């Protein structure tokens, strides 16, 4: 009987963990976008984005936020389906859309007001805005890894 590599169990655990955690993150953020607080808090950043600004103009703040909420909830459910069926289309779509969403929010590092400390001698990310969007670079990498897994990576 062939012996499995010691890293196989860790890989299986880590991949399952990513499906779960990313799914919960997107589900939670999507549900938060249904609140007025979240809709108006995100608006200044999203309105400065070349990817999202027009949605706010067309739909208004609350309806744009509702649209983004629906998308993120569906992404979260797709990612959660990857726990059981990582190579089926809902998981694959969830991972790919999570990567796209993370790419867009990571782009806020270049478009959002208040990302850099204004009077610093070297470029420093502000605590309130810059560091908020820095985590999206990691979410992008995790989503891309799950997308690769959904294309037939071993689990």
């Amino acid at each position: 009987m062939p012996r499995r590599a010691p890293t196989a169990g860790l890989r299986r655990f880590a991949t399952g963990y990513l499906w779960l955690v990313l799914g919960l993150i997107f589900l939670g953020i999507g549900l938060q976008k249904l609140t007025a607080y979240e809709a108006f808090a995100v608006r200044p950043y999203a309105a400065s984005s070349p990817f999202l600004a027009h949605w706010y103009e067309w739909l208004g703040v609350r309806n744009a936020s509702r649209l983004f909420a629906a998308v993120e909830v569906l992404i979260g459910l797709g990612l959660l389906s990857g726990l059981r069926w990582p190579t089926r289309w809902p998981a694959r779509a969830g991972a790919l859309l999570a990567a796209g969403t993370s790419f867009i929010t990571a782009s806020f590092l270049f478009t959002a007001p208040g990302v850099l400390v204004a009077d610093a001698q070297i470029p420093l990310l502000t605590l309130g805005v810059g560091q908020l969007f820095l985590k999206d670079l990691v979410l992008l990498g995790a989503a891309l890894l799950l997308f690769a897994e959904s294309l037939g990576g071993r689990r």
Side-chain angles (χ1 to χ4, degrees), residues 82-150:
L83 285 165
R84 179 79 172 106
W85 305 286
T87 59
R88 293 202 180 153
W89 74 265
R92 188 172 294 154
L96 185 61
L97 291 169
T101 300
S102 298
F103 173 81
I104 290 171
T105 53
S107 76
F108 290 1
L109 286 166
F110 304 99
T111 63
V115 169
L116 296 176
V117 175
D119 56 354
Q121 298 296 322
I122 59 171
L124 295 175
L125 294 173
T126 58
L127 294 176
V129 180
Q131 292 183 19
L132 171 69
F133 297 119
L134 192 60
K135 58 132 178 46
D136 291 294
L137 296 173
V138 175
L139 292 177
L140 174 58
L144 288 172
L145 180 64
L146 290 180
F147 182 65
E149 285 286 318
S150 77

Side-chain angles (χ1 to χ4, degrees), residues 6-150:
T7 58
L10 178 58
R11 178 185 171 102
R12 190 171 38 260
F13 171 79
T15 304
Y17 178 81
L18 282 178
W19 284 116
L20 175 66
V21 172
L22 260 86
L24 292 175
I25 287 171
F26 276 89
L27 187 62
I29 290 172
L31 292 173
Q32 279 185 223
K33 283 193 176 16
L34 294 173
T35 67
Y37 169 79
E38 176 80 7
F40 286 98
V42 170
R43 187 202 172 279
Y45 311 122
S48 67
S49 167
F51 301 110
L52 302 178
H54 56 280
W55 292 104
Y56 284 90
E57 294 170 19
W58 293 341
L59 300 174
V61 174
R62 288 306 305 272
N63 287 332
S65 191
R66 288 180 184 115
L67 173 66
F68 301 145
V71 170
E72 292 201 22
V73 165
L74 290 173
I75 290 170
L77 294 173
L79 290 166
L80 289 172
S81 79
L83 285 165
R84 179 79 172 106
W85 305 286
T87 59
R88 293 202 180 153
W89 74 265
R92 188 172 294 154
L96 185 61
L97 291 169
T101 300
S102 298
F103 173 81
I104 290 171
T105 53
S107 76
F108 290 1
L109 286 166
F110 304 99
T111 63
V115 169
L116 296 176
V117 175
D119 56 354
Q121 298 296 322
I122 59 171
L124 295 175
L125 294 173
T126 58
L127 294 176
V129 180
Q131 292 183 19
L132 171 69
F133 297 119
L134 192 60
K135 58 132 178 46
D136 291 294
L137 296 173
V138 175
L139 292 177
L140 174 58
L144 288 172
L145 180 64
L146 290 180
F147 182 65
E149 285 286 318
S150 77

